[in-house]
PDB file of all heavy atoms in Angstrom:
ATOM      1  N   GLY A 374      61.970 -54.541  37.415  1.00  0.00           N
ATOM      2  CA  GLY A 374      61.762 -53.337  36.615  1.00  0.00           C
ATOM      3  C   GLY A 374      62.604 -53.252  35.367  1.00  0.00           C
ATOM      4  O   GLY A 374      62.678 -52.184  34.755  1.00  0.00           O
ATOM      5  N   SER A 375      63.234 -54.339  34.950  1.00  0.00           N
ATOM      6  CA  SER A 375      64.098 -54.305  33.768  1.00  0.00           C
ATOM      7  C   SER A 375      63.412 -54.805  32.509  1.00  0.00           C
ATOM      8  O   SER A 375      64.058 -54.924  31.471  1.00  0.00           O
ATOM      9  CB  SER A 375      65.360 -55.146  34.020  1.00  0.00           C
ATOM     10  OG  SER A 375      65.030 -56.505  34.260  1.00  0.00           O
ATOM     11  N   ILE A 376      62.131 -55.102  32.583  1.00  0.00           N
ATOM     12  CA  ILE A 376      61.429 -55.608  31.408  1.00  0.00           C
ATOM     13  C   ILE A 376      61.266 -54.494  30.390  1.00  0.00           C
ATOM     14  O   ILE A 376      61.049 -53.328  30.735  1.00  0.00           O
ATOM     15  CB  ILE A 376      60.063 -56.205  31.805  1.00  0.00           C
ATOM     16  CG1 ILE A 376      59.460 -56.979  30.646  1.00  0.00           C
ATOM     17  CG2 ILE A 376      59.115 -55.121  32.310  1.00  0.00           C
ATOM     18  CD1 ILE A 376      58.258 -57.817  31.030  1.00  0.00           C
ATOM     19  N   SER A 377      61.393 -54.832  29.109  1.00  0.00           N
ATOM     20  CA  SER A 377      61.314 -53.840  28.043  1.00  0.00           C
ATOM     21  C   SER A 377      59.896 -53.743  27.491  1.00  0.00           C
ATOM     22  O   SER A 377      59.042 -54.606  27.742  1.00  0.00           O
ATOM     23  CB  SER A 377      62.279 -54.201  26.910  1.00  0.00           C
ATOM     24  OG  SER A 377      61.889 -55.406  26.280  1.00  0.00           O
ATOM     25  N   ILE A 378      59.673 -52.695  26.714  1.00  0.00           N
ATOM     26  CA  ILE A 378      58.353 -52.487  26.118  1.00  0.00           C
ATOM     27  C   ILE A 378      58.055 -53.561  25.077  1.00  0.00           C
ATOM     28  O   ILE A 378      56.919 -54.028  24.954  1.00  0.00           O
ATOM     29  CB  ILE A 378      58.275 -51.092  25.491  1.00  0.00           C
ATOM     30  CG1 ILE A 378      58.476 -50.027  26.572  1.00  0.00           C
ATOM     31  CG2 ILE A 378      56.967 -50.878  24.763  1.00  0.00           C
ATOM     32  CD1 ILE A 378      58.552 -48.630  26.037  1.00  0.00           C
ATOM     33  N   ASP A 379      59.080 -53.968  24.331  1.00  0.00           N
ATOM     34  CA  ASP A 379      58.867 -54.995  23.303  1.00  0.00           C
ATOM     35  C   ASP A 379      58.422 -56.310  23.917  1.00  0.00           C
ATOM     36  O   ASP A 379      57.700 -57.077  23.273  1.00  0.00           O
ATOM     37  CB  ASP A 379      60.155 -55.206  22.509  1.00  0.00           C
ATOM     38  CG  ASP A 379      60.529 -53.986  21.684  1.00  0.00           C
ATOM     39  OD1 ASP A 379      59.624 -53.195  21.382  1.00  0.00           O
ATOM     40  OD2 ASP A 379      61.721 -53.823  21.359  1.00  0.00           O
ATOM     41  N   GLU A 380      58.855 -56.605  25.147  1.00  0.00           N
ATOM     42  CA  GLU A 380      58.483 -57.858  25.792  1.00  0.00           C
ATOM     43  C   GLU A 380      57.054 -57.834  26.321  1.00  0.00           C
ATOM     44  O   GLU A 380      56.551 -58.859  26.770  1.00  0.00           O
ATOM     45  CB  GLU A 380      59.460 -58.172  26.929  1.00  0.00           C
ATOM     46  CG  GLU A 380      60.851 -58.522  26.438  1.00  0.00           C
ATOM     47  CD  GLU A 380      61.849 -58.623  27.562  1.00  0.00           C
ATOM     48  OE1 GLU A 380      61.802 -57.789  28.491  1.00  0.00           O
ATOM     49  OE2 GLU A 380      62.705 -59.529  27.522  1.00  0.00           O
ATOM     50  N   MET A 381      56.410 -56.671  26.290  1.00  0.00           N
ATOM     51  CA  MET A 381      55.018 -56.569  26.736  1.00  0.00           C
ATOM     52  C   MET A 381      54.059 -56.207  25.599  1.00  0.00           C
ATOM     53  O   MET A 381      52.850 -56.160  25.818  1.00  0.00           O
ATOM     54  CB  MET A 381      54.898 -55.526  27.850  1.00  0.00           C
ATOM     55  CG  MET A 381      55.635 -55.897  29.120  1.00  0.00           C
ATOM     56  SD  MET A 381      55.265 -54.755  30.472  1.00  0.00           S
ATOM     57  CE  MET A 381      55.939 -53.238  29.802  1.00  0.00           C
ATOM     58  N   ALA A 382      54.598 -55.931  24.428  1.00  0.00           N
ATOM     59  CA  ALA A 382      53.751 -55.517  23.311  1.00  0.00           C
ATOM     60  C   ALA A 382      53.095 -56.734  22.673  1.00  0.00           C
ATOM     61  O   ALA A 382      53.658 -57.819  22.623  1.00  0.00           O
ATOM     62  CB  ALA A 382      54.584 -54.758  22.281  1.00  0.00           C
ATOM     63  N   GLY A 383      51.889 -56.521  22.171  1.00  0.00           N
ATOM     64  CA  GLY A 383      51.182 -57.581  21.470  1.00  0.00           C
ATOM     65  C   GLY A 383      50.445 -58.508  22.416  1.00  0.00           C
ATOM     66  O   GLY A 383      49.951 -58.112  23.466  1.00  0.00           O
ATOM     67  N   GLY A 384      50.383 -59.765  22.043  1.00  0.00           N
ATOM     68  CA  GLY A 384      49.621 -60.743  22.818  1.00  0.00           C
ATOM     69  C   GLY A 384      48.249 -60.947  22.209  1.00  0.00           C
ATOM     70  O   GLY A 384      47.569 -59.983  21.846  1.00  0.00           O
ATOM     71  N   THR A 385      47.837 -62.203  22.096  1.00  0.00           N
ATOM     72  CA  THR A 385      46.524 -62.526  21.525  1.00  0.00           C
ATOM     73  C   THR A 385      45.554 -63.081  22.554  1.00  0.00           C
ATOM     74  O   THR A 385      44.350 -63.121  22.302  1.00  0.00           O
ATOM     75  CB  THR A 385      46.680 -63.551  20.387  1.00  0.00           C
ATOM     76  OG1 THR A 385      47.240 -64.771  20.916  1.00  0.00           O
ATOM     77  CG2 THR A 385      47.603 -63.015  19.300  1.00  0.00           C
ATOM     78  N   PHE A 386      46.057 -63.510  23.718  1.00  0.00           N
ATOM     79  CA  PHE A 386      45.212 -64.082  24.760  1.00  0.00           C
ATOM     80  C   PHE A 386      45.955 -63.941  26.083  1.00  0.00           C
ATOM     81  O   PHE A 386      47.185 -64.052  26.128  1.00  0.00           O
ATOM     82  CB  PHE A 386      44.919 -65.552  24.465  1.00  0.00           C
ATOM     83  CG  PHE A 386      43.989 -66.201  25.447  1.00  0.00           C
ATOM     84  CD1 PHE A 386      42.620 -65.968  25.402  1.00  0.00           C
ATOM     85  CD2 PHE A 386      44.473 -67.055  26.429  1.00  0.00           C
ATOM     86  CE1 PHE A 386      41.766 -66.571  26.311  1.00  0.00           C
ATOM     87  CE2 PHE A 386      43.631 -67.667  27.338  1.00  0.00           C
ATOM     88  CZ  PHE A 386      42.266 -67.417  27.277  1.00  0.00           C
ATOM     89  N   THR A 387      45.222 -63.676  27.167  1.00  0.00           N
ATOM     90  CA  THR A 387      45.841 -63.417  28.464  1.00  0.00           C
ATOM     91  C   THR A 387      45.395 -64.461  29.479  1.00  0.00           C
ATOM     92  O   THR A 387      44.235 -64.887  29.491  1.00  0.00           O
ATOM     93  CB  THR A 387      45.477 -62.007  28.976  1.00  0.00           C
ATOM     94  OG1 THR A 387      45.996 -61.031  28.067  1.00  0.00           O
ATOM     95  CG2 THR A 387      46.068 -61.755  30.349  1.00  0.00           C
ATOM     96  N   ILE A 388      46.344 -64.843  30.352  1.00  0.00           N
ATOM     97  CA  ILE A 388      46.055 -65.702  31.497  1.00  0.00           C
ATOM     98  C   ILE A 388      46.419 -64.947  32.762  1.00  0.00           C
ATOM     99  O   ILE A 388      47.541 -64.441  32.900  1.00  0.00           O
ATOM    100  CB  ILE A 388      46.846 -67.028  31.428  1.00  0.00           C
ATOM    101  CG1 ILE A 388      46.464 -67.810  30.169  1.00  0.00           C
ATOM    102  CG2 ILE A 388      46.587 -67.866  32.666  1.00  0.00           C
ATOM    103  CD1 ILE A 388      47.242 -69.105  29.995  1.00  0.00           C
ATOM    104  N   SER A 389      45.487 -64.856  33.689  1.00  0.00           N
ATOM    105  CA  SER A 389      45.699 -64.187  34.969  1.00  0.00           C
ATOM    106  C   SER A 389      45.490 -65.193  36.099  1.00  0.00           C
ATOM    107  O   SER A 389      44.439 -65.827  36.179  1.00  0.00           O
ATOM    108  CB  SER A 389      44.722 -63.007  35.126  1.00  0.00           C
ATOM    109  OG  SER A 389      44.849 -62.407  36.396  1.00  0.00           O
TER     110      SER A 389
END
Side-chain angles (χ1 to χ4, degrees):
S375 62
I376 192 169
S377 66
I378 299 174
D379 293 337
E380 291 171 319
M381 295 188 296
T385 62
F386 183 77
T387 297
I388 299 178
S389 176

